[in-house]
Amino acid sequence: MKLCTPHTARLALASVIALTAGMAANAQTDTVASDMSEEAQDQRRFNTVTVTAQRREQSLVDVPLSVSAFDGDLLADLGVADLTEVAKISPNVTLEVSRGTNTTLSAFIRGVGQQDPVAGFEAGVGLYVDDVYLNRPQGAVLDVYDVERVEVLRGPQGTLYGRNTIGGAIKYVTRGLSDEPTFEANVKVGSYSQIDGTLTTSLPVTDSFRVGAAIASFNRDGFGENRITGEENYNKELFGARVSAELDLAENFQLRAAADYSLDKSNARQGHRLIPDQFPPFTYPVLGDVFDTRAGLNAVDQRVEAYGGSLVAEWDLNDNWTIKNILAYREDESTSPIDFDSLPEADVDVPAIYENDQFSEELQFLYSGDRLNGLIGVYYLDANASTVFDVLLATTGDLLSLPGLNAQTFGDVGTETWSIFGDFTYDLTDRWSLSLGGRYTEDTRTSLVQRRTYIGGFSEFFGGAGIPIATTSDFEGEATFDDFSPRVSLSYAVTPESNLYATYSQGFKGGSFDPRGQTTAAPDLNQDGVVSQDEIYTFMQFDPEEVDSYEVGYKASQLDGRVNYSLAAFYSDYKDVQVPGSIGVDTDGDGVNDSFSGVTTNAGAATIWGVEFEGTATLAEDMARSGDLLNLGWSVGYLDAQYDEFIDAFGNDVSDQRVIQNTPDWTANGRISYDTPFAGGNLLLNTQLSYRGESSQFEVPNPFLDQEAFTLWDASIRWETEDGRWGFSLTGKNLTDEEYIVAGYNFVTVNPNGTFTPTLGLEGTLTAFYGDPRTVTAGIDYRF
């Protein structure tokens, strides 16, 4: 595996800076273009972005929170294709494509998140599209197109955003509609037969009615091959569309309706085995290409379909009060053939179906005055998540007619929740401001978990002829959780362009039931020889988790906006940490684990502290020629995250043997942009290095799945006409072709002598999924 040490990363970053400066110096030999206007140059700098992190428009400097904000132009210049790439330029953030698909998101901010994208679980990082909360990780790897900006809010955001934003929130804000007709077309071609296309338009029908639409298609061949089925592995075939309309019913009353649809028909993203098969006759050595697989499961096609709509009404009552209502509905359905062992044998073959739907309603009363600003609101969510999957274990034969055992799980989790919240900032003086907020939440969860044993192959859900022979688990449960989460922040404007703040905030993530749980795996907690219904309920249910976060920070914009930066230090007390996991289960008493059970416990308490430093700067103007700019952007994050307590299944505290997953100690990014008039238009050169320290996929370290430190190098060049209508770009990503793991499965025990003992199935499951290899993309766009 190709790796890069921190020292190497610093040397590489210095080399990139020197290379960019050299390119700028060489540009002196070109013909000097005409001077640009001061306004045009201001638009080309990395100026402070206006954000809505506190539910109102503010400069980043004025927000007493850790917020990274990136506008659509910057994301396009850096070649950001989907939401996961935002983690490259955000400190202490992990956004990765989960196992098996192109569209399921695993998100961590400051060590808090969700690694296992199980239906019925809710992530510790809230994802919002135009202020609508996405309740599930399926379909959440959003492609970046028609976007105004992306905001990353670090730390608990409960008082303003609620709904499990215990680690932070990500806001994906699409472009608003224009009063003038606009049109943009973009076509990209590149490595692995990539061909992408997007069309966006905005049209004013009347002075008070505007409509808009965006259509996108993203396609490429796979990075590897399925050696058994011949299919492309890691390919992409995705279609997306958005439509919106705005109606000004009156000068002070506006309606905005929006709808979106996406369909991912890519092949299943199958894993790469890290060890040979463990069952005689041992015929499958490790493949040489990490993107290749031998997965043989083809009972269902990979397919992810998601859609939703929202209606936002905004009424300005007077100069001080605004009423805003956000009504939304979303739904998604996925089918996925998950071949855990990535072999043609029908051993731990798990076809799965996921279905999610949600209805939400949020009513806000916003106040804006001379000294007091803030809002009061109420929120309601009614959501349901269900999943059904088979677990087939056998060794030979046709997959749909095997005589082997199949353990099926059907899980359904319903969520009904409401909350009332408020958050206000009062300017005590011209320099001192005090923010107070709180949210009261009440969650009700209902759960149905049914597990049955089939013989003869897959069940009817997946086109098989399997016959049910036993019901091994039939559970129904209901639980209600309530919480009050406060926030208090004190800030001091050192100058009109700088802000010093201290913030305390609390985060809450609701409890639930594990929809994969096997009731027969419940332990006899009181050792009376009988597993009672109460003990089964305790085994299936897990409690809420909570974070108390303390943060101090300083933000500044200096030299007329040429230098913008923020520095923050935080400390988090993380309690009742929800730890989802899976264990092998023997359902028929033959001494062999023939299925697995989800086990989610509030096993842990952790302490997480860290520092974040990010910013942008204009290093030089008119450096090599009239009208050029040299800009720098950077972000650095450090985390010290460790469990203070971790109680295992036997009641032992094993915190010294556990780590916080998906949480590298160091994250860093350095990017340089050189912008200059050239050949009758404008030339933009970008290059960036993104560094991530070592991290573990699971709480238990694993020498095969844990990822060592690595650095990614991206670069791009763009030229556009003086009027901005035509643009041509060339983007290279992961130019050093690093191999790095983003997800994995582990159902083996690594023995001291280096051998492996399977804990589920016969072949042994230890597989990895990798980030994208080196790619090069050329693009052309046109707009008016």
Side-chain angles (χ1 to χ4, degrees), residues 757-774:
T757 301
T759 58
L760 178 62
L762 302 174
E763 302 290 347
T765 294
L766 186 58
T767 59
F769 299 81
Y770 289 79
D772 293 359
R774 177 173 49 232

Side-chain angles (χ1 to χ4, degrees), residues 448-667:
L448 169 64
V449 182
Q450 185 180 71
R451 302 189 66 150
R452 295 186 294 175
T453 299
Y454 284 70
I455 192 169
F458 289 126
S459 68
E460 67 277 10
F461 285 95
F462 304 102
I467 301 171
I469 58 173
T471 297
T472 59
S473 181
D474 195 355
F475 174 83
E476 290 189 54
E478 180 175 328
T480 298
F481 312 95
D482 59 73
D483 175 78
F484 177 76
S485 298
R487 178 177 85 98
V488 58
S489 182
L490 184 65
S491 59
Y492 175 70
V494 181
T495 69
E497 291 81 29
S498 61
N499 184 21
L500 180 68
Y501 68 89
T503 298
Y504 163 76
S505 58
Q506 189 178 87
F508 163 83
K509 187 171 99 169
S512 188
F513 300 87
D514 194 318
R516 310 158 302 165
Q518 173 73 42
T519 56
T520 56
D524 181 10
L525 297 175
N526 59 10
Q527 300 296 307
D528 64 353
V530 177
V531 178
S532 67
Q533 290 300 312
D534 287 342
E535 288 170 325
I536 291 175
Y537 182 92
T538 300
F539 174 74
M540 298 290 288
Q541 185 259 326
F542 53 90
D543 291 329
E545 60 181 26
E546 190 174 278
V547 165
D548 289 293
S549 177
Y550 306 84
E551 180 177 325
V552 293
Y554 178 73
K555 299 183 175 186
S557 178
Q558 299 174 341
L559 302 177
D560 295 327
R562 289 171 171 81
V563 178
N564 303 279
Y565 60 92
S566 62
L567 177 66
F570 65 91
Y571 173 88
S572 298
D573 184 13
Y574 194 11
K575 298 182 288 289
D576 295 321
V577 181
Q578 298 169 3
V579 181
S582 300
I583 59 172
V585 175
D586 177 12
T587 62
D588 57 6
D590 66 354
V592 178
N593 290 337
D594 53 20
S595 183
F596 67 85
S597 173
V599 181
T600 300
T601 61
N602 297 95
T607 298
I608 305 172
W609 65 271
V611 179
E612 295 157 352
F613 180 46
E614 60 182 332
T616 60
T618 298
L619 299 179
E621 299 178 72
D622 301 327
M623 177 184 65
R625 58 189 303 162
S626 177
D628 70 0
L629 292 171
L630 184 63
N631 292 317
L632 171 70
W634 72 89
S635 67
V636 179
Y638 173 75
L639 277 177
D640 184 290
Q642 57 185 353
Y643 280 106
D644 303 316
E645 180 182 74
F646 196 111
I647 307 301
D648 67 9
F650 304 99
N652 302 313
D653 185 356
V654 292
S655 55
D656 59 342
Q657 303 169 35
R658 299 294 186 266
V659 296
I660 304 293
Q661 60 183 261
N662 286 297
T663 303
D665 52 355
W666 285 98
T667 55

Side-chain angles (χ1 to χ4, degrees), residues 93-409:
V93 175
T94 297
L95 301 173
E96 294 174 338
V97 178
S98 189
R99 306 168 296 211
T101 78
N102 289 318
T103 55
T104 300
L105 181 69
S106 293
F108 284 77
I109 296 179
R110 291 182 174 177
V112 179
Q114 178 191 356
Q115 187 268 347
D116 200 346
V118 179
F121 284 70
E122 294 180 349
V125 174
L127 177 59
Y128 292 79
V129 177
D130 294 335
D131 286 333
V132 175
Y133 171 63
L134 272 59
N135 196 48
R136 297 289 180 252
Q138 285 81 25
V141 179
L142 303 176
D143 287 278
V144 174
Y145 69 98
D146 191 38
V147 62
E148 180 180 311
R149 68 180 182 278
V150 174
E151 300 176 24
V152 180
L153 287 61
R154 294 183 293 277
Q157 306 295 324
T159 60
L160 289 165
Y161 292 93
R163 292 313 308 148
N164 305 311
T165 55
I166 186 169
I170 300 171
K171 297 188 62 178
Y172 183 105
V173 183
T174 62
R175 287 180 188 167
L177 301 182
S178 173
D179 292 329
E180 300 291 333
T182 63
F183 172 83
E184 182 175 342
N186 189 306
V187 177
K188 295 179 180 178
V189 296
S191 307
Y192 302 96
S193 301
Q194 174 191 1
I195 179 165
D196 299 338
T198 60
L199 293 173
T200 61
T201 185
S202 176
L203 180 67
V205 180
T206 68
D207 290 342
S208 60
F209 183 53
R210 299 166 295 280
V211 295
I215 299 175
S217 177
F218 304 100
N219 305 271
R220 61 164 162 74
D221 293 343
F223 301 139
E225 179 187 359
N226 188 319
R227 301 287 187 89
I228 302 301
T229 66
E231 292 182 331
E232 301 279 345
N233 200 28
Y234 288 75
N235 75 320
K236 188 169 185 177
E237 182 182 349
L238 188 143
F239 171 81
R242 301 189 188 114
V243 294
S244 58
E246 293 176 354
L247 176 63
D248 301 328
L249 293 174
E251 186 175 330
N252 63 340
F253 189 21
Q254 184 187 77
L255 291 176
R256 175 182 171 90
D260 64 270
Y261 174 84
S262 66
L263 176 62
D264 182 6
K265 297 174 65 176
S266 312
N267 298 332
R269 193 182 182 100
Q270 300 288 10
H272 171 76
R273 285 186 65 88
L274 300 175
I275 59 174
D277 62 304
Q278 300 295 299
F279 188 71
F282 308 110
T283 55
Y284 301 107
V286 175
L287 291 169
D289 190 329
V290 298
F291 296 105
D292 285 353
T293 185
R294 291 193 183 96
L297 177 59
N298 58 1
V300 293
D301 292 330
Q302 181 84 27
R303 190 177 191 274
V304 182
E305 185 176 25
Y307 54 88
S310 63
L311 179 64
V312 179
E314 194 162 348
W315 183 18
D316 296 328
L317 292 176
N318 51 46
D319 291 341
N320 300 114
W321 284 99
T322 296
I323 299 177
K324 186 175 183 179
N325 193 79
I326 306 169
L327 185 70
Y329 177 80
R330 297 203 62 81
E331 190 169 322
D332 65 79
E333 180 176 351
S334 307
T335 58
S336 182
I338 308 172
D339 194 329
F340 275 69
D341 70 336
S342 295
L343 290 175
E345 274 71 12
D347 189 36
V348 202
D349 283 350
V350 185
I353 299 172
Y354 303 92
E355 294 181 351
N356 303 300
D357 62 74
Q358 65 173 83
F359 167 82
S360 61
E361 156 67 16
E362 183 169 353
L363 178 63
Q364 303 173 4
F365 299 88
L366 299 98
Y367 181 82
S368 178
D370 292 336
R371 289 191 175 274
L372 182 67
N373 292 274
L375 81 161
I376 297 174
V378 291
Y379 180 81
Y380 173 80
L381 174 74
D382 186 2
N384 191 81
S386 65
T387 181
V388 59
F389 59 86
D390 288 3
V391 181
L392 191 67
L393 291 99
T395 56
T396 60
D398 180 79
L399 291 178
L400 295 181
S401 60
L402 276 166
L405 288 178
N406 167 21
Q408 183 195 87
T409 298

